[in-house]
Amino acid sequence: MTAVDTPAAASALDVAAVRADFPILSRTVRDGKALVYLDSGATSQRPRQVLDAEREFLEQHNAAVHRGAHQLAEEATDAYESARARIAAFVGADPASLVFTKNATEGINLVAYAMSNAATAGPDAARFTLGPGDEIVVTELEHHANLVPWQELCRRTGATLRWFEVSPDGRLDLDSDPITERTKVVAFAHQSNVLGTVLPVAELVRRARAVGALTVLDACQSVPNRPVSFTGLDVDFAAFSGHKMLGPSGVGVLYGRQDLLAAMPPFLTGGSMIEMVRMEGSTYAPPPQRFEAGVPMTSQAVGLGAAVDYLSAIGMDAVEAHEAALTGRALDALAEVPGVRVVGPTDLVDRGGVVAFVVDGVHAHDVGQVLDDRGVAVRVGHHCAWPLHRRFGVAATVRASVHVYNTPAEIDALVDGVRAAQKFFGVA
Amino acid sequence: MTAVDTPAAASALDVAAVRADFPILSRTVRDGKALVYLDSGATSQRPRQVLDAEREFLEQHNAAVHRGAHQLAEEATDAYESARARIAAFVGADPASLVFTKNATEGINLVAYAMSNAATAGPDAARFTLGPGDEIVVTELEHHANLVPWQELCRRTGATLRWFEVSPDGRLDLDSDPITERTKVVAFAHQSNVLGTVLPVAELVRRARAVGALTVLDACQSVPNRPVSFTGLDVDFAAFSGHKMLGPSGVGVLYGRQDLLAAMPPFLTGGSMIEMVRMEGSTYAPPPQRFEAGVPMTSQAVGLGAAVDYLSAIGMDAVEAHEAALTGRALDALAEVPGVRVVGPTDLVDRGGVVAFVVDGVHAHDVGQVLDDRGVAVRVGHHCAWPLHRRFGVAATVRASVHVYNTPAEIDALVDGVRAAQKFFGVA
Amino acid sequence: MQLEQMYQEIILDHYRSPHGAGLRDPFDAESFQINPTCGDEITLRVRLDEGKVAEISHETLGCSISQASASVLTDLVVGRSVEESMRVLTAFQEMAQGRGQVEPDEDVLGDGVAFAGVARYPARVKCALLGWMAFKDAVVRVSGDVPGTAGGTSDGKDAT
Amino acid sequence: MQLEQMYQEIILDHYRSPHGAGLRDPFDAESFQINPTCGDEITLRVRLDEGKVAEISHETLGCSISQASASVLTDLVVGRSVEESMRVLTAFQEMAQGRGQVEPDEDVLGDGVAFAGVARYPARVKCALLGWMAFKDAVVRVSGDVPGTAGGTSDGKDAT
Ligand SMILES: Cc1ncc(COP(=O)(O)O)c(C=O)c1O
Ligand SMILES: Cc1ncc(COP(=O)(O)O)c(C=O)c1O
């Protein structure tokens, strides 16, 4: 649980040099306080390399992709597909298995809707159909984005939702396993956006496979922060968002095993995803085009490609080590503050860089306000994981989350701020 | 049909000053040829005001909107909601009736999916349910984005698709009206993206209303090019895309009458659109939040707000007049070229700035290649309106489309290029 | 430090010993409201008597602002006619949503003016309004309609 | 002007008088392929005889490139064994998708080398391949599998 555990690779990340790439980090807030941005778990900031890549694209190559026969359209298409290829390499996947979406939420909804669409999509799609008696398994720690779409899929199809529970130390309770022969989908986060817990993906995939269920990985809190290979993890689907990994908002990725994507009915329909359209009916293009209806988020894909290049240049091992060091420092320091309780694992084993906590006698919103007043930006509330908060008997937590640009001094500012909040509200 | 019809307001648009705002227009293509961009109907270019607004947001105010309690989150939320308000004013609507989507395609799909979701969404949503015996009416000139989602909705619900036909002169054939008491939805383009034809919205709304059907307007080719008020047009829903109106890709808008949005079940589900989440089930926020699941396209909404400011500063009357002048010039000049046939109205009555044509004896792709070789960027193919092309007995057309930055000289370059193509392929 | 502008002593006092805290019987209507972003909850009961607000009691699971606000609400509306209380509510809401631009009227709002500082923090406005929305909802449940207000939660922004 | 590099005389000649144009009987299999971006279509028939391509006939509704390509295809594969024809197809496809980086082998491709210029225009690659994909599909329909090729249309990028 201490900073001593930090791999040597952490030294590979020159945080001062990194910070210089992020224009927003030099601004001040609340009457001249330096910004201490500890809310990257909600959305990260963008380095100028990403901003420049998007701008260069828009000032030189912008056109509708896959649709035009002029030079700009060629260049735009190349930039878009090159981004897909680089992002695919970054997550250990083939470019043809990557679908661009607007965010991870859309990616998960895409899978859920394709499954209900399977009911009317003919024999190829039969393996995706669900009905009464079938079950979908999630976990109690899911972000709403990987919970509500499955609730709604159950509503549409008559299937039943089941879930793994969470143990008091913030780990997945593998003994609460609801997977049975009726299970058709097992959807789970790679890392909790509240607890920081990294889930045992291999074990969950093994159990899902054993009953022939499909696996859907919510990789929003893993792809930005450590080396991830979807083919290595052997999941069937995975989703993540650009804005949490130094890339633009408005772009996300759904990964799908190619044989599954090829058999899956479309979700959004319209231009660019068709094979043949008649008034009487239409047929659809092969993946990934089948799942990219309409003019896509072109410059955003280009920006995400640049973000992946940026992260790769630092090295994802170094990113992981850097965040582990900061997390260890935060866990150690918060453990020293009486009345502060971390919700989630208190050591660094299978744990990423988000730290949620409660302060006895001071509501999370009030802690956050004191922090904000000192320039420290954290998130307060249920962080779109309301059932998890209910399970821990709290309405809201304070969550600090780190990325490549954070420093040990910023962790110290957080802890100082927590003490100041206790003092302000008279509980210490 | 001639440039003489041009309203005087055209002089209000200083095209040289406008062009100076668009960095991409000063680049060259194909070995030093000046770029003549006549493909704005597919996607428009962005002025630096839009690029700057997005960058300023990202360098100063970026955070997750509606989720944080720190200063950046406040500023980001304000910027996002201010953009919504300005865009709403631009299309004559209340901010609460505007939902941000990734593009128009998503907006139309949203309505179509909400309607099939209504089947399992309880009594409030009953007015949206569809089933066998119900009918959806579209037109033969629709973009695939306003056709395929309705085909798929019919597939999901058992409803039947009917359509208005198109007359030989490229107008909607109002006598082919398939609207009956069974009609539940009438979906149609404000302006065809191929013919340029502006549809008789008031008459279609009247006929739909008479049978109690909902109206869905595809405003992709009208909002960018002329003054539009959705409340004035009295449609129930409307959709458009940012990238066609000088704004970013990855952002679009769905307009919906507030009482309808309030009763409509959600489409994409996840974070930010909920009221209360339990493992057992969830309830949803009021619109527009209900329809904006996940971290939205924040900087893109800000960019679209800047695009709307930019267009408003020029004045949409001036934009319309400018485009009419260019369209008139193109129609006149093409009429002089033997062997060239315009597909669509050949006068400026109820007609916007896209001109599609065929060249006898030279395939559209080959015409496009000759134009591209001369720096003239047009689109060739069916422009995602395949049934319309079939109706006119052609596989592909050449389409030139204009926006604020185009000049009469660029129209001349187009026409010269068409003649050159005829010469190159030995048909003139 | 701007904190003191927001957390004025009056607010902290109400927060430490909130008036009306603890649910009481009998009551005419009860309203349960939540703040969907932070999960805060209030259960509020109202008892009317001959067109007047006779009693308010509430159980608030929330931050200092929402607790203090429910307390101030209790002080401000108990003993008033329903119509008057709705005028106070409107004034409070206008101040809270005024982004610090609305000058509060101390004659109408009493201790409520202390919340003027909260109005400059948009993320906290919902906290300040949580109890008030519960009060309004409870009154509607008793009387079927709310005299003297227009819209309120129906703009979609402040519904809880 | 780069146009001439793309529209080489050989291509224009084939376009003006395409070989194999007009559907003929008898045939062993027919394939219908479309280019979803521009709506171009080809119907292509193939007749095999003792492991050789005996006849090809086609009706092509498309641009100069797709018509000329179908014509060159006819010249190149008629009279060859199915296996040889698939080697030619692979070579043609590699060149067409090579972005101008693949040096074509004239011994294998004959007039087909004229399409090397097309490879530099990604939007036209599908035009050049339309007839070849139809040919491959038709051969599969006769023989049930395609000797000597790997993948082809299954990469999702060039399926028509
Ligand atoms: C008339 C019309 N409708 C719909 C669309 C689809 O817009 P988007 O691809 O941005 O969703 C377009 C443009 O492609 C269009 O021109
Ligand atoms: C674990 C997890 N899943 C899903 C999401 C949803 O991502 P987005 O809102 O970008 O779709 C988030 C972030 O908000 C997350 O942290």
Side-chain angles (χ1 to χ4, degrees):
Chain A
M1 119 180 221
T2 78
V4 181
D5 294 338
T6 311
S11 59
L13 194 158
D14 177 351
V15 68
V18 165
R19 288 180 70 83
D21 289 332
F22 290 78
I24 204 170
L25 297 182
S26 53
R27 77 161 273 184
T28 58
V29 290
R30 302 291 180 218
D31 291 338
K33 314 255 184 7
L35 170 65
V36 175
Y37 190 74
L38 293 173
D39 197 17
S40 296
T43 201
S44 65
Q45 299 299 343
R46 327 289 196 252
R48 65 186 157 67
Q49 286 84 344
V50 167
L51 303 177
D52 289 347
E54 209 173 332
R55 184 145 191 157
E56 199 264 342
F57 173 81
L58 290 169
E59 293 192 346
Q60 295 295 330
H61 314 291
N62 179 53
V65 299
H66 291 306
R67 291 194 181 183
H70 51 79
Q71 186 178 343
L72 291 187
E74 279 174 15
E75 292 175 3
T77 305
D78 282 352
Y80 181 70
E81 291 303 332
S82 154
R84 192 197 306 270
R86 279 140 58 220
I87 297 162
F90 186 73
V91 294
D94 189 280
S97 60
L98 250 58
V99 175
F100 283 120
T101 60
K102 68 174 176 176
N103 53 23
T105 302
E106 185 196 340
I108 296 167
N109 276 272
L110 190 165
V111 177
Y113 273 104
M115 295 188 80
S116 49
N117 288 346
T120 51
D124 273 6
R127 65 193 296 186
F128 296 105
T129 55
L130 283 178
D134 292 329
E135 295 183 355
I136 296 173
V137 167
V138 297
T139 86
E140 214 178 15
L141 59 69
E142 296 310 312
H143 188 282
H144 296 163
N146 200 28
L147 168 60
V148 187
W150 304 116
Q151 292 177 335
E152 286 292 323
L153 176 60
C154 287
R155 195 207 292 258
R156 291 196 297 278
T157 60
T160 303
L161 192 73
R162 306 259 180 240
W163 53 89
F164 279 92
E165 289 168 14
V166 171
S167 62
D169 61 343
R171 303 282 177 186
L172 199 68
D173 178 0
L174 282 169
D175 294 339
S176 65
D177 186 352
I179 297 175
T180 68
E181 292 293 328
R182 289 188 296 278
T183 308
K184 295 291 175 278
V185 180
V186 182
F188 53 95
H190 197 169
Q191 179 193 300
S192 161
N193 69 315
V194 178
L195 308 169
T197 312
V198 175
L199 272 67
V201 178
E203 176 60 17
L204 291 167
V205 167
R206 197 187 61 72
R207 294 187 187 190
R209 278 285 150 71
V211 299
L214 294 170
T215 51
V216 181
L217 184 73
D218 174 354
C220 278
Q221 298 284 346
S222 57
V223 166
N225 309 104
R226 69 181 65 99
V228 172
S229 163
F230 293 142
T231 44
L233 293 171
D234 204 20
V235 291
D236 294 319
F237 296 98
F240 59 97
S241 277
H243 66 89
K244 291 188 202 280
M245 51 193 289
L246 317 185
S249 60
V251 63
V253 168
L254 174 72
Y255 161 83
R257 254 176 50 206
Q258 286 187 61
D259 59 324
L260 294 172
L261 289 182
M264 218 163 77
F267 166 46
L268 299 177
T269 58
S272 299
M273 53 73 69
I274 56 95
E275 181 187 57
M276 165 99 97
V277 177
R278 298 180 184 278
M279 293 308 290
E280 295 75 14
S282 303
T283 57
Y284 303 117
Q289 274 70 37
R290 186 187 306 160
F291 302 103
E292 295 182 358
V295 170
M297 46 298 291
T298 326
S299 70
Q300 292 79 19
V302 170
L304 184 51
V308 154
D309 293 345
Y310 186 87
L311 286 168
S312 301
I314 294 177
M316 291 309 289
D317 287 320
V319 171
E320 184 177 19
H322 177 73
E323 297 188 13
L326 295 172
T327 307
R329 189 180 188 95
L331 291 172
D332 285 354
L334 289 172
E336 305 277 295
V337 186
V340 169
R341 200 156 34 89
V342 168
V343 180
T346 50
D347 60 32
L348 288 176
V349 178
D350 290 335
R351 189 198 204 296
V354 303
V355 179
F357 56 93
V358 291
V359 179
D360 291 338
V362 191
H363 188 278
H365 240 151
D366 293 319
V367 177
Q369 196 78 44
V370 173
L371 290 171
D372 174 47
D373 195 60
R374 302 163 70 93
V376 180
V378 296
R379 189 154 164 211
V380 297
H382 53 59
H383 322 305
C384 302
W386 205 334
L388 178 68
H389 278 72
R390 238 183 245 111
R391 186 251 167 266
F392 280 96
V394 293
T397 55
V398 181
R399 183 187 74 181
S401 50
V402 298
H403 214 295
V404 285
Y405 34 69
N406 290 117
T407 66
E410 291 182 316
I411 298 296
D412 299 345
L414 165 74
V415 180
D416 289 347
V418 171
R419 290 189 194 269
Q422 290 179 313
K423 211 160 141 207
F424 187 82
F425 286 98
V427 298
Chain B
M1 122 179 219
T2 78
V4 181
D5 294 338
T6 311
S11 58
L13 193 159
D14 177 351
V15 69
V18 166
R19 289 181 69 83
D21 290 331
F22 290 78
I24 204 170
L25 297 181
S26 53
R27 76 161 274 183
T28 59
V29 290
R30 302 292 181 217
D31 291 336
K33 312 245 185 19
L35 170 65
V36 175
Y37 189 75
L38 293 173
D39 198 17
S40 296
T43 202
S44 66
Q45 298 299 341
R46 322 302 191 244
R48 64 188 158 66
Q49 287 83 345
V50 168
L51 303 177
D52 289 348
E54 210 174 331
R55 184 146 190 155
E56 200 264 341
F57 173 82
L58 290 169
E59 292 192 346
Q60 295 295 330
H61 315 291
N62 181 53
V65 300
H66 290 306
R67 291 195 183 183
H70 51 78
Q71 185 177 343
L72 290 188
E74 280 174 14
E75 292 175 3
T77 304
D78 282 352
Y80 181 71
E81 292 302 332
S82 155
R84 192 197 308 269
R86 279 138 60 220
I87 298 162
F90 186 74
V91 294
D94 189 280
S97 60
L98 251 56
V99 175
F100 282 119
T101 59
K102 68 174 177 177
N103 53 23
T105 302
E106 185 196 340
I108 296 167
N109 276 273
L110 191 166
V111 178
Y113 272 103
M115 296 187 80
S116 49
N117 288 347
T120 50
D124 273 6
R127 65 194 295 187
F128 295 105
T129 54
L130 283 179
D134 291 330
E135 295 184 354
I136 296 172
V137 167
V138 297
T139 87
E140 212 178 16
L141 58 70
E142 296 310 313
H143 188 282
H144 296 163
N146 200 28
L147 168 59
V148 187
W150 305 115
Q151 292 178 335
E152 287 291 324
L153 176 59
C154 288
R155 195 208 293 258
R156 292 196 297 277
T157 60
T160 303
L161 192 74
R162 306 259 179 240
W163 52 90
F164 279 92
E165 289 168 15
V166 171
S167 62
D169 60 344
R171 303 281 178 188
L172 199 69
D173 179 0
L174 283 169
D175 295 339
S176 66
D177 186 352
I179 296 176
T180 69
E181 292 294 328
R182 288 187 298 277
T183 308
K184 295 291 175 278
V185 180
V186 182
F188 52 95
H190 198 170
Q191 179 193 299
S192 161
N193 69 316
V194 177
L195 307 167
T197 310
V198 175
L199 271 66
V201 178
E203 176 61 16
L204 291 168
V205 168
R206 198 187 60 71
R207 295 187 188 190
R209 277 284 151 73
V211 298
L214 294 170
T215 50
V216 181
L217 185 72
D218 174 355
C220 279
Q221 298 283 345
S222 56
V223 166
N225 309 104
R226 69 180 66 97
V228 172
S229 162
F230 293 142
T231 43
L233 293 170
D234 203 20
V235 291
D236 295 318
F237 296 98
F240 58 96
S241 277
H243 67 88
K244 292 187 200 280
M245 51 193 289
L246 317 186
S249 60
V251 62
V253 168
L254 175 72
Y255 160 84
R257 255 177 48 207
Q258 286 186 62
D259 59 325
L260 293 173
L261 290 182
M264 218 162 78
F267 166 46
L268 299 178
T269 58
S272 300
M273 54 72 70
I274 56 96
E275 181 188 57
M276 166 99 96
V277 176
R278 298 181 184 276
M279 293 308 290
E280 296 76 14
S282 304
T283 57
Y284 303 116
Q289 274 69 35
R290 186 187 305 162
F291 303 102
E292 295 183 357
V295 170
M297 47 297 293
T298 327
S299 70
Q300 292 79 19
V302 170
L304 183 53
V308 154
D309 293 344
Y310 186 88
L311 286 168
S312 301
I314 294 178
M316 291 309 287
D317 287 321
V319 171
E320 183 177 20
H322 177 73
E323 297 189 11
L326 295 173
T327 308
R329 190 179 186 95
L331 291 171
D332 285 355
L334 289 172
E336 304 278 295
V337 187
V340 169
R341 201 156 35 90
V342 167
V343 179
T346 50
D347 60 33
L348 289 176
V349 178
D350 289 334
R351 188 199 204 294
V354 303
V355 178
F357 57 93
V358 291
V359 179
D360 291 339
V362 191
H363 188 278
H365 241 151
D366 292 319
V367 176
Q369 196 77 44
V370 173
L371 289 170
D372 174 48
D373 195 60
R374 302 163 70 94
V376 181
V378 296
R379 187 152 165 214
V380 297
H382 53 59
H383 322 305
C384 302
W386 205 335
L388 178 68
H389 279 72
R390 239 183 242 111
R391 186 253 167 267
F392 280 96
V394 292
T397 55
V398 180
R399 184 187 73 179
S401 50
V402 298
H403 214 295
V404 284
Y405 35 68
N406 290 117
T407 66
E410 291 182 316
I411 299 296
D412 299 346
L414 166 73
V415 179
D416 289 347
V418 171
R419 290 188 194 270
Q422 290 179 313
K423 213 160 140 207
F424 187 82
F425 286 98
V427 299
Chain C
M1 211 177 188
Q2 307 182 319
L3 269 190
E4 281 80 6
Q5 283 175 39
M6 172 163 179
Y7 294 110
Q8 304 206 4
E9 264 319 310
I10 302 176
I11 293 182
L12 293 176
D13 287 345
H14 276 278
Y15 163 53
R16 286 189 199 110
S17 34
H19 307 167
L23 296 176
R24 272 187 290 274
D25 282 308
F27 62 95
D28 293 321
E30 182 177 286
S31 172
F32 173 71
Q33 298 285 324
I34 46 172
N35 181 337
T37 39
C38 63
D40 284 355
E41 306 178 350
I42 189 169
T43 305
L44 184 140
R45 292 177 177 178
V46 68
R47 184 162 60 79
L48 304 184
D49 191 15
E50 299 186 2
K52 288 207 163 146
V53 180
E55 189 174 50
I56 283 189
S57 67
H58 56 89
E59 201 167 271
T60 304
L61 195 84
C63 63
S64 60
I65 302 296
S66 61
Q67 301 212 33
S69 176
S71 172
V72 168
L73 161 76
T74 309
D75 286 1
L76 283 175
V77 303
V78 171
R80 293 206 200 223
S81 74
V82 168
E83 216 160 323
E84 274 170 14
S85 74
M86 286 300 147
R87 268 200 295 279
V88 179
L89 182 147
T90 303
F92 189 86
Q93 191 172 355
E94 276 172 6
M95 175 191 67
Q97 294 174 342
R99 313 289 308 239
Q101 306 301 310
V102 175
E103 194 59 60
D105 182 346
E106 189 154 2
D107 289 346
V108 179
L109 290 177
D111 278 5
V113 298
F115 290 83
V118 176
R120 295 196 293 119
Y121 296 88
R124 305 306 297 272
V125 171
K126 277 190 189 174
C127 313
L129 289 176
L130 191 65
W132 295 81
M133 292 304 122
F135 172 64
K136 184 163 150 188
D137 182 50
V139 169
V140 173
R141 283 164 197 266
V142 186
S143 47
D145 78 306
V146 195
T149 61
T153 63
S154 69
D155 66 1
K157 276 193 200 122
D158 308 301
T160 50
Chain D
M1 211 179 189
Q2 305 181 317
L3 268 191
E4 281 79 7
Q5 284 174 37
M6 171 164 180
Y7 293 110
Q8 302 207 2
E9 264 319 310
I10 302 175
I11 293 182
L12 294 176
D13 286 346
H14 276 280
Y15 164 53
R16 288 191 195 106
S17 35
H19 306 167
L23 296 175
R24 272 187 290 275
D25 282 307
F27 62 95
D28 293 320
E30 182 177 287
S31 171
F32 174 71
Q33 298 285 323
I34 47 173
N35 181 337
T37 38
C38 63
D40 284 356
E41 305 177 351
I42 190 170
T43 305
L44 183 141
R45 292 177 177 177
V46 67
R47 184 163 59 79
L48 304 184
D49 191 13
E50 298 185 359
K52 289 206 165 151
V53 181
E55 188 174 50
I56 283 188
S57 66
H58 57 90
E59 201 166 272
T60 305
L61 196 84
C63 64
S64 59
I65 301 298
S66 61
Q67 300 214 30
S69 175
S71 173
V72 167
L73 161 78
T74 308
D75 286 1
L76 283 175
V77 302
V78 171
R80 293 204 200 225
S81 74
V82 168
E83 217 161 324
E84 275 171 12
S85 73
M86 286 301 149
R87 270 199 295 278
V88 178
L89 182 149
T90 302
F92 189 87
Q93 194 173 352
E94 277 172 4
M95 175 190 68
Q97 294 175 340
R99 315 284 316 234
Q101 307 302 310
V102 175
E103 194 60 56
D105 181 346
E106 189 155 3
D107 290 346
V108 179
L109 290 176
D111 278 5
V113 298
F115 289 84
V118 175
R120 294 197 294 119
Y121 296 88
R124 306 305 296 273
V125 172
K126 277 190 189 174
C127 313
L129 288 176
L130 191 65
W132 295 81
M133 292 304 121
F135 171 64
K136 185 164 151 186
D137 182 50
V139 169
V140 173
R141 282 165 197 267
V142 185
S143 46
D145 77 306
V146 195
T149 62
T153 63
S154 68
D155 65 2
K157 277 195 198 122
D158 308 298
T160 49

